[in-house]
Amino acid sequence: MERFRRFMLDLDSRLDFGIFKGFRWTREVVERFVVFMDRFHVGGWRRWLLVEPASEALTLGFAGLMLMLALAIPAFHETSDEDWLKKSELAVVFLDRFGNEVGSRGIKHNDSIPLEDFPDHLIKAVLATEDRRFYEHFGIDIAGTMRAVVTNARAGGVVQGGSSLSQQLAKNLFLSNERTIERKVKEAFLALWLESRLTKNEILKLYLDRAYMGGGTYGVDAAAQYYFGKSARDVSLPEAAMLAGLFKAPTKFAPHINLPAARARANVVLDNLVEAGFMTEGQVFGARRNPAKTIDRRDESAPNYYLDYAFEEMRKLVDTLPKSITERAFVVRTALDPGLQQTAENAIENAIRQFGRDYHAKQAAVVVADVDGAVRAIVGGVDYGESQFNRATDALRQPGSSFKPYVYATAMIEAGLTPKSVVVDSPVCVGNWCPKNYSGGFSGSMQLTDALKRSINTIAVKLANTAGKGSPRAGRNKIVALARSMGLRTPLTDTPSLPIGAAEVTVLDHTVAYATFPNGGKAVPAHAILEVRTGMGETIWRFDRDGKKPQQVMPPQVASDMNFMMNKVVEEGTARRAILNGVKAAGKTGTTNAYRDAWFVGFTGNFVAGVWFGNDDYSPLNRMTGGSMPAMVWHTVMEYAHQGVELKNIPGLPPNPAQIGPKIAETSDVPRPAMLSTKAAQALVRIERLMDEAARAAVATTPRVGPQTEAPAPGATAAADGSLPVGALPARRRD
């Protein structure tokens, strides 16, 4: 014990001595450092005018560098793809389901004309309007930005943009068009990154090739071909001025949409040329007196909403293709039915023109698809020229009572209910929320079929509780799970009002999810693309071979029972205006609070279709319900769709009265082509695939002794659902 005590005393003394020595040594070092630094001491006016400002500048500069680094990291994540330059070079020619070309999207940079081939007046017009100091700044035009800020402040609004040409290219290559501070910060850093990787001429060349120019065209060369029918090499000064005016707002100033506005904008570009000193007033005088004349494309119509959706689907599909496929130009056969697309567009336009003012309705959307999920038509708005926002695929709207089939199906699965099960329409509350019925009263006991037919809100809420075994939250979770498995991809917010359609969905998802019912409980993926071929005609992807397969998400008996009840909605309930002559149909109407949204989604054994009416600003409609205009438009579209089609029966319903869809009265200006039978179409599919296999085998076994002959033209295979019109299979060239 004594030895331990002495050891601890020795340890304590050593620690004390070490700390003492350490402090003394540190003090000596500090004193020597102070003496050393005193040699550099600056006092008086030199300190306050030189040293202190320099110190503060270094401190603030270091903090600024750290802040810039933090802001730059998210921007540089956009460039993580090593193939960033080719990323936007996707070029797609789209065919309809019959093999006819209907449009294109994207660009092919390798085929664009060299920068030196662009006319000098075109280059000057673009620079004078978009970035006069392009060859002087480092990617961000500080002087131009400050000038724009002052000009906008004086005008009290945004009249002049401050983004440099490099910043605009960065946005086109990597970012979206959202107007946020985050996007502007990313844009600035990416502009600096582009300036460090590319020359000024390369940046200008990319900008001229990648910018959207309206009319579905990308790049000035494609725009010159579309608007003037000539190459960008040959455009005159007034034509160049009109093209340069499109960069700011291609939709607003597109000459095929608003020629006076396009010419007024071209005149502004001519003013810019003079102000920038690139040309004199005398040089532009002739262009003012003789403005550009464009090709009249007012009568041309392209399924632009459909093509936009198909192009986005193709972008995602390309990322899943094997790395061995380096092709960037493709020919894509879609499920588009041109006649049905035109009919849907006409139906929406006529409905808004005739009844839009009475109902205070300004917008609408339609989706029509096969029951296997192949989308035949998409109408994303009344006028694509005025707004390219696709309300069918991108707008989130409350479905109202059209959401109730998910609720009923969940309750039938979880609680074993049937269409004849008795439910009670009476007051119900979930927390402080107590839903009301459209009629304002309560009807007491009724069968489940009647509850859906009459769209009773209280019963939908009670069914959610039943699905959760008495727990409303558990029931709503099961409803969400089933809805997602059927195809709803948008976030479904868990609120007490979810069972009566308070969650938001897209028209596309909501429509194709309904295909689960006529499919006997099998959910199918919504898709526009049926087949992808390279520019040389090689088939590299087919939906029937490589696409997502149907999945059983509900028992077939539940699907049949739902079909029976939803058929009653059409024939006896709120959607009687959707009844089709000679074709069994089922569906559900939907109307949201304050009449902000009106829906009808329904199906037959062949097709599923959804119609939505509303306003972009969420302003209420004038008491429009889903059983009025939406059901009427649905009837018009689906009546056309079933002409001459081999009718399929809906599980759970009596057979259709006829085997072939009836011919409607000749009131439509869109003729319906004659359809082949299912067996005939399938035979054509087999024949064409055998021809493809034989052609590939011949190429593989034939020695190449001369120049390679031209590959077969990328035509379309016959649709296996019998939708190929007689004579529509394209002729194929021989090798």
Side-chain angles (χ1 to χ4, degrees):
M1 191 66 182
E2 181 66 21
R3 294 179 61 183
F4 178 74
R5 187 175 66 83
R6 290 179 178 178
F7 171 76
M8 294 302 294
L9 288 173
D10 179 67
L11 179 62
D12 180 66
S13 63
R14 290 177 182 275
L15 289 174
D16 290 343
F17 181 74
I19 294 173
F20 171 75
K21 293 288 287 185
F23 274 112
R24 190 168 71 176
W25 179 82
T26 303
R27 185 178 62 200
E28 290 177 355
V29 170
V30 171
E31 289 176 351
R32 290 177 182 177
F33 178 75
V34 170
V35 171
F36 175 77
M37 294 303 295
D38 283 342
R39 300 176 184 177
F40 305 99
H41 176 72
V42 178
W45 64 270
R46 293 185 179 86
R47 174 183 177 183
W48 299 108
L49 292 181
L50 300 176
V51 177
E52 290 295 337
S55 298
E56 293 299 328
L58 287 173
T59 302
L60 294 176
F62 180 76
L65 286 174
M66 294 297 100
L67 178 61
M68 288 182 63
L69 180 61
L71 294 174
I73 290 176
F76 293 148
H77 280 320
E78 305 288 342
T79 66
S80 58
D81 191 347
E82 296 180 359
D83 199 28
W84 64 271
L85 191 56
K86 293 184 178 180
K87 193 175 180 181
S88 298
E89 290 180 8
L90 190 64
V92 183
V93 174
F94 288 104
L95 312 177
D96 61 21
R97 66 189 307 107
F98 309 131
N100 305 308
E101 184 175 333
V102 291
S104 62
R105 285 292 186 272
I107 57 175
K108 192 173 182 182
H109 177 64
N110 293 336
D111 288 349
S112 58
I113 62 178
L115 182 64
E116 56 270 17
D117 286 356
F118 286 110
D120 182 65
H121 50 257
L122 175 59
I123 300 294
K124 288 180 177 178
V126 173
L127 294 180
T129 305
E130 298 299 316
D131 192 351
R132 298 178 186 179
R133 301 181 65 255
F134 172 67
Y135 283 99
E136 300 172 17
H137 61 67
F138 53 89
I140 301 175
D141 186 3
I142 303 298
T145 302
M146 296 304 297
R147 182 178 64 251
V149 170
V150 173
T151 303
N152 294 336
R154 289 176 177 174
V158 179
V159 297
Q160 190 177 104
S163 296
S164 68
L165 192 145
S166 301
Q167 288 175 271
Q168 295 180 55
L169 177 62
K171 181 188 69 174
N172 293 340
L173 290 177
F174 302 107
L175 306 174
S176 66
N177 289 323
E178 60 178 347
R179 295 187 175 183
T180 62
I181 295 178
E182 180 184 5
R183 196 266 289 172
K184 295 296 292 184
V185 171
K186 287 184 177 181
E187 183 182 284
F189 282 109
L190 290 171
L192 298 176
W193 185 82
L194 286 173
E195 290 276 348
S196 67
R197 299 288 296 268
L198 304 172
T199 66
K200 286 287 187 179
N201 284 346
E202 288 174 335
I203 291 175
L204 178 58
K205 175 70 164 55
L206 282 172
Y207 182 73
L208 295 174
D209 286 345
R210 302 296 174 89
Y212 180 65
M213 304 291 285
T217 63
Y218 288 80
V220 293
D221 189 48
Q225 296 283 0
Y226 183 76
Y227 296 123
F228 309 121
K230 62 175 68 174
S231 169
R233 295 181 176 92
D234 305 320
V235 295
S236 62
L237 177 57
E239 292 168 343
M242 188 171 286
L243 290 175
L246 293 173
F247 288 98
K248 180 179 181 180
T251 301
K252 180 179 179 181
F253 298 120
H256 70 299
I257 295 174
N258 193 337
L259 183 58
R263 286 179 171 172
R265 176 62 178 168
N267 205 45
V268 173
V269 173
L270 296 175
D271 291 339
N272 293 336
L273 281 167
V274 176
E275 291 176 7
F278 294 161
M279 288 188 176
T280 65
E281 184 61 42
Q283 289 175 304
V284 303
F285 179 76
R288 294 187 193 277
R289 293 291 302 273
N290 300 286
K293 297 179 180 179
T294 61
I295 297 174
D296 187 1
R297 297 187 180 275
R298 289 173 295 180
D299 295 333
E300 294 184 9
S301 61
N304 287 308
Y305 286 117
Y306 190 101
L307 295 181
D308 288 348
Y309 167 69
F311 187 57
E312 288 304 313
E313 185 177 332
M314 185 61 192
R315 282 180 182 272
K316 298 174 184 177
L317 178 60
V318 166
D319 293 336
T320 67
L321 296 177
K323 296 295 183 181
S324 58
I325 299 176
T326 59
E327 186 81 22
R328 303 300 296 180
F330 301 96
V331 177
V332 173
R333 185 170 69 90
T334 68
L336 174 68
D337 185 332
L340 188 56
Q341 174 74 27
Q342 188 63 51
T343 299
E345 292 175 359
N346 293 345
I348 288 296
E349 183 179 353
N350 293 335
I352 293 294
R353 182 187 297 117
Q354 295 180 36
F355 305 104
R357 179 174 299 179
D358 295 337
Y359 280 112
H360 297 168
K362 296 180 180 179
Q363 285 296 343
V366 177
V367 171
V368 184
D370 293 328
V371 292
D372 65 357
V375 181
R376 286 186 172 235
I378 294 177
V379 183
V382 175
D383 190 341
Y384 184 85
E386 291 185 359
S387 172
Q388 286 78 56
F389 178 66
N390 196 331
R391 295 157 190 83
T393 60
D394 299 329
L396 295 177
R397 307 295 300 216
Q398 291 183 343
S401 294
S402 65
F403 188 83
K404 290 176 183 175
Y406 307 112
V407 180
Y408 278 66
T410 303
M412 296 174 77
I413 294 172
E414 298 297 331
L417 302 179
T418 68
K420 294 184 178 180
S421 297
V422 177
V423 291
V424 180
D425 175 21
S426 61
V428 62
C429 292
V430 179
N432 296 325
W433 178 72
C434 302
K436 304 295 183 182
N437 292 323
Y438 182 78
S439 63
F442 304 97
S443 303
S445 299
M446 64 182 70
Q447 290 187 350
L448 201 62
T449 300
D450 294 327
L452 184 63
K453 181 174 65 177
R454 296 170 58 184
S455 196
I456 305 296
N457 288 336
T458 57
I459 290 178
V461 176
K462 289 183 177 182
L463 290 177
N465 299 343
T466 301
K469 312 299 183 184
S471 170
R473 183 177 295 275
R476 294 195 299 268
N477 289 338
K478 291 180 180 179
I479 293 169
V480 170
L482 178 63
R484 289 197 178 284
S485 66
M486 291 173 65
L488 297 189
R489 296 172 293 179
T490 54
L492 301 175
T493 306
D494 183 8
T495 61
S497 56
L498 179 138
I500 60 173
E504 294 179 326
V505 299
T506 65
V507 180
L508 176 69
D509 287 354
H510 195 30
T511 300
V512 178
Y514 264 48
T516 305
F517 298 118
N519 279 326
K522 291 183 179 180
V524 294
H527 60 281
I529 298 175
L530 300 181
E531 183 180 75
V532 178
R533 297 191 180 195
T534 65
M536 297 299 294
E538 178 187 0
T539 301
I540 58 175
W541 189 90
R542 290 205 316 264
F543 181 83
D544 59 352
R545 181 188 66 196
D546 309 306
K548 185 179 179 181
K549 307 304 179 187
Q551 295 182 340
Q552 193 78 41
V553 298
M554 73 173 64
Q557 184 58 49
V558 171
S560 296
D561 290 342
M562 288 299 303
N563 294 337
F564 173 80
M565 294 192 295
M566 294 169 75
N567 171 251
K568 295 299 181 182
V569 173
V570 173
E571 295 187 352
E572 303 174 11
T574 58
R576 286 188 290 272
R577 288 174 174 165
I579 294 176
L580 296 173
N581 181 30
V583 183
K584 288 288 183 178
K588 185 69 186 75
T589 56
T591 309
T592 61
N593 287 339
Y595 297 95
R596 288 188 174 89
D597 304 272
W599 294 76
F600 180 68
V601 185
F603 54 86
T604 65
N606 296 77
F607 305 110
V608 58
V611 181
W612 166 86
F613 278 83
N615 293 310
D616 290 340
D617 59 1
Y618 291 91
S619 59
L621 304 170
N622 186 19
R623 301 186 66 84
M624 180 189 290
T625 64
S628 58
M629 289 304 303
M632 293 168 64
V633 169
W634 188 93
H635 173 272
T636 300
V637 173
M638 292 291 267
E639 187 179 46
Y640 175 90
H642 286 82
Q643 290 186 81
V645 173
E646 186 176 343
L647 298 179
K648 300 177 182 177
N649 298 319
I650 300 177
L653 297 183
N656 290 298
Q659 294 184 346
I660 303 297
K663 183 73 173 179
I664 63 175
E666 296 293 341
T667 58
S668 173
D669 56 355
V670 183
R672 189 64 167 158
M675 301 295 172
L676 294 177
S677 67
T678 301
K679 292 183 178 180
Q682 291 174 346
L684 285 177
V685 170
R686 290 193 296 270
I687 292 172
E688 187 181 24
R689 289 177 182 170
L690 289 172
M691 291 172 63
D692 285 340
E693 293 174 1
R696 286 195 295 270
V699 171
T701 58
T702 302
R704 298 184 179 182
V705 295
Q708 187 177 358
T709 55
E710 187 175 14
T717 58
D721 60 357
S723 63
L724 186 67
V726 175
L729 190 66
R732 302 178 63 86
R733 292 177 291 184
R734 298 179 180 273
D735 280 342

